[in-house]
Protein backbone atom coordinates (compact mmCIF):
# COMPACT_ATOMS: atom_id res chain seq x y z
CA UNK A 1 0.00 0.00 0.00
CA UNK A 2 3.02 2.25 0.45
CA UNK A 3 3.45 2.68 -3.31
CA UNK A 4 -0.18 3.80 -3.55
CA UNK A 5 -0.18 6.29 -0.70
CA UNK A 6 -1.64 8.96 -2.99
CA UNK A 7 -4.92 7.08 -2.79
CA UNK A 8 -5.40 8.78 0.58
CA UNK A 9 -5.71 12.08 -1.26
CA UNK A 10 -8.26 10.47 -3.58
CA UNK A 11 -10.32 9.34 -0.60
CA UNK A 12 -10.12 12.83 0.93
CA UNK A 13 -11.29 14.43 -2.34
CA UNK A 14 -14.06 11.87 -2.65
CA UNK A 15 -15.32 12.54 0.90
CA UNK A 16 -15.17 16.32 0.34
CA UNK A 17 -17.04 15.99 -2.96
CA UNK A 18 -19.78 13.87 -1.40
CA UNK A 19 -20.06 16.30 1.53
CA UNK A 20 -20.32 19.35 -0.75
CA UNK A 21 -22.88 17.66 -3.01
CA UNK A 22 -24.95 16.46 -0.06
CA UNK A 23 -25.04 19.93 1.44
CA UNK A 24 -25.85 21.54 -1.90
CA UNK A 25 -28.61 19.14 -2.84
CA UNK A 26 -30.30 19.27 0.58
CA UNK A 27 -30.23 23.07 0.69
CA UNK A 28 -33.64 24.71 1.12
CA UNK A 29 -34.14 27.25 -1.65
CA UNK A 30 -37.27 29.25 -2.29
CA UNK A 31 -37.90 29.00 -6.02
CA UNK A 32 -39.35 32.53 -6.14
CA UNK A 33 -36.23 34.16 -4.65
CA UNK A 34 -33.64 32.74 -6.99
CA UNK A 35 -32.59 34.09 -10.34
CA UNK A 36 -31.52 32.10 -13.39
CA UNK A 37 -28.58 30.67 -11.43
CA UNK A 38 -29.54 29.60 -7.94
CA UNK A 39 -27.44 29.21 -4.80
CA UNK A 40 -27.02 25.48 -5.46
CA UNK A 41 -25.19 25.92 -8.76
CA UNK A 42 -21.65 26.65 -7.58
CA UNK A 43 -21.59 24.03 -4.80
CA UNK A 44 -22.90 21.38 -7.21
CA UNK A 45 -20.23 22.26 -9.79
CA UNK A 46 -17.50 22.22 -7.11
CA UNK A 47 -18.75 18.89 -5.71
CA UNK A 48 -18.84 17.27 -9.14
CA UNK A 49 -15.38 18.68 -9.87
CA UNK A 50 -14.02 17.16 -6.65
CA UNK A 51 -15.49 13.77 -7.55
CA UNK A 52 -14.06 13.89 -11.08
CA UNK A 53 -10.60 14.88 -9.85
CA UNK A 54 -10.72 12.11 -7.21
CA UNK A 55 -11.60 9.52 -9.87
CA UNK A 56 -8.96 10.72 -12.35
CA UNK A 57 -6.27 10.81 -9.66
CA UNK A 58 -7.21 7.30 -8.48
CA UNK A 59 -6.99 5.94 -12.03
CA UNK A 60 -3.58 7.62 -12.48
CA UNK A 61 -2.24 6.24 -9.19
CA UNK A 62 -3.50 2.72 -9.90
CA UNK A 63 -1.85 2.82 -13.35
CA UNK A 64 1.50 3.57 -11.69
CA UNK A 65 1.56 7.34 -11.70
CA UNK A 66 3.53 8.92 -8.88
CA UNK A 67 3.86 12.49 -7.72
CA UNK A 68 7.32 13.93 -8.16
CA UNK A 69 9.18 15.51 -5.29
CA UNK A 70 9.43 19.28 -5.39
CA UNK A 71 12.69 20.02 -7.15
CA UNK A 72 12.86 23.74 -6.47
CA UNK A 73 12.70 23.63 -2.70
CA UNK A 74 15.85 24.56 -0.85
CA UNK A 75 14.92 23.12 2.54
CA UNK A 76 17.33 21.27 4.77
CA UNK A 77 15.15 18.70 6.54
CA UNK A 78 17.92 17.87 8.98
CA UNK A 79 17.60 21.32 10.59
CA UNK A 80 15.14 21.65 13.48
CA UNK A 81 12.02 23.81 13.19
CA UNK A 82 12.26 27.46 14.19
CA UNK A 83 9.79 27.32 17.07
CA UNK A 84 10.54 30.88 18.17
CA UNK A 85 9.18 32.24 14.88
CA UNK A 86 6.19 29.89 14.95
CA UNK A 87 5.29 30.94 18.51
CA UNK A 88 5.81 34.64 17.72
CA UNK A 89 3.55 34.44 14.68
CA UNK A 90 0.91 32.50 16.63
CA UNK A 91 0.95 35.11 19.39
CA UNK A 92 0.69 37.94 16.87
CA UNK A 93 -2.30 36.30 15.13
CA UNK A 94 -4.04 35.69 18.45
CA UNK A 95 -3.32 39.25 19.58
CA UNK A 96 -4.76 40.65 16.37
CA UNK A 97 -7.87 38.47 16.79
CA UNK A 98 -8.36 39.80 20.33
CA UNK A 99 -7.73 43.43 19.34
CA UNK A 100 -9.84 43.58 16.20
CA UNK A 101 -13.13 44.28 18.00
CA UNK A 102 -12.03 46.90 20.55
CA UNK A 103 -9.30 48.58 18.50
CA UNK A 104 -10.78 48.08 15.03
CA UNK A 105 -9.36 46.48 11.92
CA UNK A 106 -7.00 49.31 10.92
CA UNK A 107 -5.14 49.22 14.26
CA UNK A 108 -5.25 45.43 14.69
CA UNK A 109 -4.25 44.91 11.06
CA UNK A 110 -1.32 47.31 11.33
CA UNK A 111 -0.08 45.50 14.43
CA UNK A 112 -0.56 42.17 12.66
CA UNK A 113 1.42 43.24 9.58
CA UNK A 114 4.17 44.87 11.63
CA UNK A 115 4.39 41.96 14.07
CA UNK A 116 4.55 39.41 11.26
CA UNK A 117 7.34 41.35 9.56
CA UNK A 118 9.23 41.50 12.86
CA UNK A 119 8.71 37.78 13.58
CA UNK A 120 9.96 36.90 10.11
CA UNK A 121 13.16 38.89 10.56
CA UNK A 122 12.64 42.49 9.46
CA UNK A 123 14.16 44.98 11.91
CA UNK A 124 13.46 48.23 10.02
CA UNK A 125 11.61 50.17 12.73
CA UNK A 126 11.72 53.32 10.60
CA UNK A 127 9.90 51.76 7.64
CA UNK A 128 7.89 48.72 8.79
CA UNK A 129 5.24 50.51 10.93
CA UNK A 130 4.50 52.93 8.10
CA UNK A 131 4.12 50.12 5.55
CA UNK A 132 1.95 48.17 8.01
CA UNK A 133 -0.32 51.17 8.61
CA UNK A 134 -0.71 51.87 4.88
CA UNK A 135 -1.43 48.19 4.12
CA UNK A 136 -3.97 47.97 6.93
CA UNK A 137 -5.79 51.16 5.94
CA UNK A 138 -5.79 50.13 2.27
CA UNK A 139 -7.23 46.72 3.19
CA UNK A 140 -9.87 48.33 5.42
CA UNK A 141 -10.98 50.79 2.75
CA UNK A 142 -10.97 48.10 0.05
CA UNK A 143 -13.15 45.68 2.01
CA UNK A 144 -15.34 48.06 4.02
CA UNK A 145 -15.96 50.84 1.51
CA UNK A 146 -15.46 49.34 -1.95
CA UNK A 147 -16.54 45.71 -1.50
CA UNK A 148 -19.18 46.37 1.16
CA UNK A 149 -17.77 43.85 3.65
CA UNK A 150 -18.22 45.50 7.04
CA UNK A 151 -15.07 45.50 9.17
CA UNK A 152 -14.89 46.96 12.67
CA UNK A 153 -13.40 50.44 12.48
CA UNK A 154 -12.85 50.89 16.19
CA UNK A 155 -11.91 54.38 17.33
CA UNK A 156 -11.20 55.36 13.72
CA UNK A 157 -14.80 54.66 12.66
CA UNK A 158 -15.76 58.34 12.62
CA UNK A 159 -12.55 59.43 10.94
CA UNK A 160 -12.54 56.99 8.04
Amino acid sequence: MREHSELGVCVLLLVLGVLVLTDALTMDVDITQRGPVGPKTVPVVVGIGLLVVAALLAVDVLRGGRGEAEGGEDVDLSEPADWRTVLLLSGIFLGAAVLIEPAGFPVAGALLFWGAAFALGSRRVDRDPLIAAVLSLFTYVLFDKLLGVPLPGGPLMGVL
Side-chain angles (χ1 to χ4, degrees):
M1 209 47 202
R2 191 162 236 195
E3 61 270 359
H4 298 304
S5 62
E6 289 94 348
L7 289 176
V9 175
C10 299
V11 171
L12 177 68
L13 291 173
L14 178 75
V15 169
L16 284 175
V18 169
L19 179 68
V20 169
L21 278 176
T22 303
D23 275 352
L25 295 175
T26 59
M27 185 185 306
D28 278 338
V29 178
D30 186 12
I31 194 72
T32 60
Q33 290 183 340
R34 70 178 192 94
V37 177
K40 291 183 178 183
T41 305
V42 171
V44 168
V45 169
V46 169
I48 290 171
L50 284 168
L51 294 178
V52 168
V53 169
L56 292 174
L57 182 60
V59 167
D60 182 53
V61 169
L62 292 174
R63 286 185 177 173
R66 302 228 2 119
E68 289 186 26
E70 182 74 31
E73 289 293 323
D74 188 20
V75 176
D76 186 5
L77 296 177
S78 64
E79 289 292 319
D82 184 6
W83 288 107
R84 178 185 175 274
T85 302
V86 171
L87 291 174
L88 268 172
L89 283 172
S90 299
I92 291 162
F93 286 133
L94 287 174
V98 168
L99 284 176
I100 197 165
E101 198 58 44
F105 182 84
V107 173
L111 292 174
L112 173 70
F113 292 139
W114 186 17
F118 180 83
L120 294 172
S122 179
R123 299 296 184 257
R124 296 285 308 263
V125 294
D126 59 331
R127 175 191 68 184
D128 291 346
L130 179 63
I131 292 173
V134 168
L135 261 173
S136 183
L137 284 172
F138 175 75
T139 305
Y140 176 77
V141 169
L142 177 73
F143 277 86
D144 194 64
K145 306 299 181 197
L146 297 177
L147 296 176
V149 177
L151 294 174
L156 298 176
M157 184 64 84
V159 178
L160 297 176

